[in-house]
Amino acid sequence: YPEGIEVPVGGGMRKMTCACGLRVHQREHHEAVEKELQLALRTWNIARIKKAIVAAAPAEHEWYERKKCGCVGCQLNEDLVRLCVASLERLKARFAQCADAVAKGRVAIDVDRCQVVLQVNIPFANRKPPDTTGAFAEGQENLAQDIARDLAAVLSAFESPMVIEGHTGKTEPRQYWRQLAENR
């Protein structure tokens, strides 16, 4: 990655280049390690990120002894690896922050696609035109609020822009169903 590897830092990304000297025969191996590190960092998959960091650790890094391959070609820049480890630790903290909400089973996290997924339907009251109110089903208000709290806990922990997608089940008349979806 001559253009640099993007590492999640705070609310954005920091681009770092490896700037390692290596022999021509090591280039392909080096680029494969860089590529997997970059792809791993684009996920929330802690195990994959950790494995990619271990594969990239230089000899002076504390994780070097865990490596399967110790050639110079797969040893990336120490500063880059330390930044990746710091990013991994922040990600672990985010999962810890929302662990209770996820443990309830109403909200799940797709770590490979960086998505939050509702595992249950929010119990909205059935509506027919022209009523577009987004009220919860009678007697299900507490459940709906619990789901919303779990979702809020996960969204708050990850502090990432997210798109919330929902479906009303119908499409015509389009304007009515769009308004109902927005109100919900």
Side-chain angles (χ1 to χ4, degrees), residues 6 25 35 38 42 44 63 69 77 101 106 111-112 120 126 135 137 142 148-149 159 170 175 183:
E6 291 183 329
H25 72 278
K35 181 178 182 180
Q38 181 65 88
R42 290 182 180 154
W44 292 339
W63 289 6
C69 176
N77 177 299
R106 295 184 283 246
V111 297
D112 293 312
V120 296
N126 291 329
N142 290 339
R149 273 192 286 279
E159 300 176 334
K170 303 254 181 163
Q175 184 57 34
N183 289 343

Side-chain angles (χ1 to χ4, degrees), residues 78-142:
E78 173 71 11
D79 291 336
L80 171 61
V81 171
R82 289 204 183 282
L83 189 62
C84 292
V85 170
S87 176
L88 176 64
E89 293 305 317
R90 284 190 301 276
L91 183 61
K92 287 179 181 179
R94 289 177 175 185
F95 274 98
Q97 183 180 339
C98 65
D100 290 342
V102 173
K104 294 173 187 171
R106 295 184 283 246
V107 178
I109 300 172
D110 182 333
V111 297
D112 293 312
R113 295 171 62 193
C114 301
Q115 292 182 343
V116 178
V117 181
L118 285 177
Q119 299 295 96
V120 296
N121 289 325
I122 298 174
F124 288 107
N126 291 329
R127 294 290 180 244
K128 293 181 182 175
D131 185 357
T132 60
T133 57
F136 299 124
E138 189 174 324
Q140 297 292 307
E141 296 87 356
N142 290 339

Side-chain angles (χ1 to χ4, degrees), residues 31-45:
E31 288 175 352
V33 170
E34 281 185 319
K35 181 178 182 180
E36 176 52 26
L37 180 60
Q38 181 65 88
L39 292 173
L41 289 168
R42 290 182 180 154
T43 73
W44 292 339
N45 187 326

